[in-house]
Amino acid sequence: MKYRKATFQDLKEILIMKTDVKQRIKDEQLPIWLDGYPSDDLIQSDIENGFGRVVEDEEMLVGYACFHKDIEEYPIKTFLKDHLMSFGRVMVKTGFTGRHYGAYLIESMIKEAKSLGANGIGILVDSCNKRALCLYQKYGFIKEESKQFPFAFLDVYSLYFNNRNI
């Protein structure tokens, strides 16, 4: 497995993955990623801004997420502490779930956040997304609160690093 920044050469494959994942979410009747989220333009913007991250295995993309400073996408004071990284739009290619690609993606983003000197990672999660919550909690993310944002009612989770060098 390899974790790396997404490139424009990856865009078509990421958009296909997104379409498949959205269908899987719909089939599972999860009320998340509604109203066109995430749009193709948003994924393209992730890549343009250097936020896109992918996991590939045997030269095939199997996972995607955006990874950035929390203030790039969320309102100030979304999380209890400042100077955090954040991730979102996490997806694993249909047919490849259960093979630890999502875990590898999360682990890699945690390592990258630490290497950048962040105080931690903050994420927003829909409470019905039990698989994602289970994975995040496995890595020590703790729920800070639930609150209404302009785009959805979400749970605020964080993982703070002690001494920045764990």
Side-chain angles (χ1 to χ4, degrees):
M1 277 186 273
K2 181 179 176 185
Y3 169 81
R4 62 174 175 78
K5 277 189 177 183
T7 67
F8 280 109
Q9 289 77 18
D10 301 322
L11 183 59
K12 182 178 178 183
E13 200 170 345
I14 293 167
L15 296 178
I16 291 169
M17 183 187 321
K18 178 198 74 157
T19 300
D20 290 343
V21 169
K22 285 186 68 131
Q23 184 60 52
R24 187 173 74 228
I25 289 168
K26 184 177 178 182
D27 291 347
E28 293 174 5
Q29 299 179 353
L30 289 173
I32 59 175
W33 284 19
L34 304 173
D35 301 324
Y37 177 86
S39 70
D40 292 358
D41 289 343
L42 185 57
I43 301 289
Q44 183 172 334
S45 177
D46 288 346
I47 295 170
E48 284 174 0
N49 291 307
F51 301 157
R53 298 294 185 273
V54 294
V55 170
E56 61 182 8
D57 196 4
E58 297 182 19
E59 298 183 29
M60 177 176 30
L61 293 186
V62 294
Y64 174 83
C66 67
F67 177 78
H68 49 68
K69 292 180 181 177
D70 65 330
I71 59 172
E72 296 287 342
E73 191 160 331
Y74 305 125
I76 293 173
K77 298 297 180 193
T78 295
F79 306 99
L80 295 178
K81 293 186 180 181
D82 296 325
H83 307 294
L84 303 181
M85 297 302 292
S86 186
F87 61 82
R89 298 184 269 291
V90 177
M91 56 183 101
V92 173
K93 188 173 187 168
T94 298
F96 290 82
T97 58
R99 299 185 192 179
H100 307 289
Y101 294 117
Y104 181 74
L105 185 57
I106 302 307
E107 288 171 12
S108 298
M109 289 186 289
I110 291 170
K111 286 178 187 173
E112 186 175 358
K114 288 178 181 180
S115 76
L116 294 170
N119 288 332
I121 299 178
I123 56 174
L124 303 181
V125 187
D126 195 301
S127 63
C128 71
N129 196 347
K130 301 297 184 198
R131 265 189 260 154
L133 285 170
C134 189
L135 181 61
Y136 303 149
Q137 290 168 347
K138 171 184 169 186
Y139 288 101
F141 284 84
I142 297 172
K143 182 177 176 181
E144 291 182 353
E145 64 181 328
S146 299
K147 69 184 190 185
Q148 182 66 50
F149 293 91
F151 43 87
F153 186 82
L154 297 167
D155 292 338
V156 177
Y157 276 78
S158 60
L159 171 66
Y160 296 116
F161 307 145
N162 295 329
N163 300 327
R164 293 188 184 180
N165 61 0
I166 292 177

